[in-house]
Amino acid sequence: MVHVFVWWLLMHILGLAALPLAYRLFRELPGRGYAFARPLGLLLTSYVLWIGASLGVLKNTAGGIVVSIVVTAGISLWFHSRGSTEDDQSLAGFLRERWRLIMTVEVLFGVAFAAWALLRAYAPDKIMTSGGEKFMELAFLNATLESAEFPPHDPWLSGFAISYYYFGYVMMALLTRLSGVVSGVGFELYDALIFALTVTGAFGVVYDLVAGKASKCSGDAQPLQYGVLGSVFVAVLSNLEGFLEALYAKGLLSDRFWRWIDIPSLIEAGRVTGSWYPGHGWWWWRASRVLRDRDLLGQPMPLNPIDEFPFFSFLLGDNHPHVLALPFVLLAIALALNLLRRGWRSGHSERDRTAWWNPAACCFDGDWALFGAYALGLGALGFLNTWDFPIYVGLVGLAYGAGRRAEGEPLSRLLPRMAVLAVSLALTGGVLYLPFYISFSSQAGGVLPYLLAPTRLAQYLVMFGPFLFIGAWFLLIRLLTSPDRGRAIIAAARTWAVVAAAPVLVVLLAVTVTVVTEPGRQLVQGALSDPQARDIIGGSDPGAALRAIVLTRLRDPWLFLTLSLLIAVAAVHFLQPWRSRSGSREAASSDTFAALLFLCGLGLTFLVEFVYLRDGFGVRMNTIFKFYYQAWVMLGCASAYAVWWVAADADGRIGKGLQSAFLVGTVLLVAAAMVYPAMASYSRVEGFQNEPELDGTVNLARSHPDDWAAVEWLRANAQGTPVILEAPGGSYTYEGRISAFTGYPAVLGWALHESQWRGNYVEQGKREPDIQTIYTTEDEELALELLHRWDVDFVIVGPAERGYTEELCRAPERQCSTTEALEKFDTLLNPAFRQGQTAVYRVPRP
C-alpha cells in the first residue's frame, strides 16, 4: 500500500497548491471550496503542463511536472492576494473555525481512496485480454507517457495525434510519472482516485447547499451529515436492478412480472440460485442496460441504450472520459452554485443595467480573472468529456439567471445577459484549450429526432426510482405549501402546458416542413426505401409511418406526463421571482439551486425522448448514456439536499404525516438501491479469495507470458518512439495489445475505434491492404517496401499475428501458406527478440 500513500501525499500537495485559489474562487460558498481544492489543483497543474508542452515551452517529463506545480502554486497565491478584502476572513482563520469540515473532507478522501484501491487490488480481470475499453484507455495512458510534447501520438494510428478528448489521460500520466509507478499500477490507482474525488466533490456540493440554509440554526452537524449522504447518493447508490437481481435469484415473483419489467438479458441469462445472491460472475453488468428500446411495431431494437451510473463505472474499472470527468463535473456544479449566490448577494447595480454585453462586468463585478477561472474550469470539460461542456455551460448560465431573477429582474433584460454569459464562457473555454480542438475530429453528425417507442416509465423507475420519488416530494411539497400557493399552482399548470406542448409543436413543425417541401419528401422516400426502415414501421407509406409514431406515443404517455409535470414545477421555483422572497436570500438560494438541479437532471432525461445525437451507432444508445450519466450526478446532489429539507422541515410548513411518509418511502427505496453495491462488489472481487495485486497488467502477463515478455523487451530496448506493426483489430479484441501496453504507435490498431474518434474510415482503409500484404506475401522486396512506406521499426509475430495471417490465407483470392508467409521475416528482417510463440523483428533502415 506504499503506492496508495504516495498518491495520497501527491494529491495533498496539489490540493494545498490550489487551496488559496479555491478559497477566493468559491468565496460565496460556506465551505469556501475546500472540498474542491484537490481536483482544482490537479486540473490547473495538468493544464499548465499540457499548454506548456503543446506550445513547446515545457516537456512532458518529471521536471516539467514539478515546474507546473510551482506555477500552479504561484497562480493560486496571486489569485488569493488580489481578491482579499479587509472584511473577509483569512484562510488561516477559516481553517481554524471550520476544522470539522476540514477533518470530514480529509477522512472521506482518505477512506474512499484506500477502500477503492483495496477493492481494485482484489478484483480479477482488471484489464481483460478480450479488450474491453481498457486496452484503449491503457494505450492512451502509455502513449501520453511516451510523448514528450502534446498532443500525444496516436498509439493505434502511427503518424497521427490522438483525436479524442484526452485531458483525463494527461492527468493520469502526470500522477503516474510523478509517483514513479508503472502504468498498470497508475491505471488502477487513478480509478480509486477518481472515486475518492467524486465522493468529496459530491460532499462539497451538498454541504454548501445545506450549510447555506441551515448553518445559523444547526451549526456544522447537519451540513456534514447530509454532505456524506450526497457522497453516497452520487458515488455509491445504484439503480434498482440489483434489487431485482436478488428477487430473481431467490425465485420470487411470477414469470409474467419478469416479462413485463423486461430487463434485457435478465430472463435469458439470469440464474435462480435459491438464495438472495446471484453468485459470482458478471451478472452485475445488466445494471448498465436496464432500458429496452423497441421499434414502432413493438420489436426490440438490436442495440439497447447504455445507462451507466457512477458506481457501476467504478466497479467495472473503465477509466473512460465520462468517469475521468466526474470530479470536474462536480467542480462545475459548485461554480454554478457559487455564481447563483453571488448574484443573489450583489443585488442590482448600475453596472448590471448598462454592461449587459460584458460578461465580466455584468456577472463578476468586472473581475476578468474570476471570469477566466470559470472559463478554465468549464472549458476543461470539453477536453475531458466533450459532451459535458455544453451541459454545464448551460447550468452556469441558468444559475446566474436564477440568482438575478430572484431580484425581480425582467426576463426581457435577463435572457440576453444569460446568453452572453454562456456564449462568452463557451468561446473563452474553447480558446483556452484551442490546441486540443485544432487536432480534434469527431463522429458527431448533428441532432436527429427520436421517433420510435418512448422509454417505459417502469424501466425509468428502475433507473432513477429513488431520485424521482425524492424529487417529486420535494418539488410538490414546496409548491403546495407555498405562502403563494394559488399563484404557484397556476404558474405550474401554465408551465406544464408549455413543457408538454413544446416537443409536440417541434415535431409537428418538423413534419410539416418535411411534407410541404420537395427536399423533405425526398428525404422521407429515401429513408423508406431502406428495408430496415420499412421493417421498423411496417410499410413504406409516409402516412402509415406518421400514424404509427403518434399511436406509439399515445399508447405509452406515462413517462412523458410524469417528467413534464415535474420539470414544470421545478421551473416555477426559479422562474417566478416572488417564489424566492420568503426568508433570507441566502437560505432561498439553496432551495432554488436544488430545484435547478432537478430541472436540469430531469430535463436531460426528457430531452432524449425526442432527439438524439447522430453518431456511428445510428441510434440513441450513446446519447442516453451521456445524458443519463450527468442526470444522475445532478439528481443525486439535489436529492440529498431534498432529504435534509424534508427531514428537517426547513421551511416549517410540512406536517408530521407527510414527513413520515416521505422518510419511510425514501429509506425503503435507498435500501433497495444499496443492494447492488453490496452484492456487486462482493461478486466483482469473487469473495476476496484472490491474492491482492494493484498492477492492472498482471492478467496479460499471466495469460500471455510470451507477448508480455515482448512488451517488456520493447520498453527496455527500443529507442525513442518506434513504430510497430502488429495484427490490427476491429474493436474489443486482443489485437492491438503490444501498442496498448507499450504506448508505441502501431501502423493500425483498433480500426473501428479510430473511425469513431475521427468520423471516417479513410486512413484505416489505406493501411489495411498494405498490412495484409506485409503479413501474407512471400515477396520479400514488396514486404520491405511496404514496411518502409509506413516507417515501421519493429514487426511483431505472435499468436495474434499467426491467427490473423492464417485467416487471410484462407481467402480464395490469396491461397497462401501461413508458415511460408511468416518465415520470410527470419531472413528479411533482423530478429531482435524471441520467446515461445512471440518474436520481435527489427526493420533495417533503407
Side-chain angles (χ1 to χ4, degrees), residues 21 83 104 109 250 265 269 284 296 327 354 361 439 446 456 467 520 529 531 545 676 718 727 739 742 770 774 812:
L21 169 62
T104 303
F109 177 79
K250 188 67 174 175
S265 301
W284 48 270
L296 296 177
T354 58
S439 62
R456 293 176 55 215
F467 296 156
S529 65
Y676 180 89
S739 48
T742 62
D770 286 356
I774 291 171

Side-chain angles (χ1 to χ4, degrees), residues 651-668:
D651 285 346
R653 301 196 300 261
I654 307 174
K656 291 296 182 183
L658 283 176
Q659 199 176 41
S660 299
F662 170 83
L663 293 176
V664 169
T666 298
V667 168
L668 291 176

Side-chain angles (χ1 to χ4, degrees), residues 549-568:
I549 292 169
V550 173
L551 290 174
T552 300
R553 296 279 174 165
L554 290 177
R555 279 195 295 266
D556 192 2
W558 308 117
L559 182 63
F560 171 82
L561 294 174
T562 301
L563 290 183
S564 59
L565 172 61
L566 293 178
I567 288 169

Side-chain angles (χ1 to χ4, degrees), residues 153-154 157-161 723 745-747 767:
H153 62 258
D154 190 328
L157 200 67
S158 60
F160 283 76
V723 175
V747 177
R767 299 177 182 221

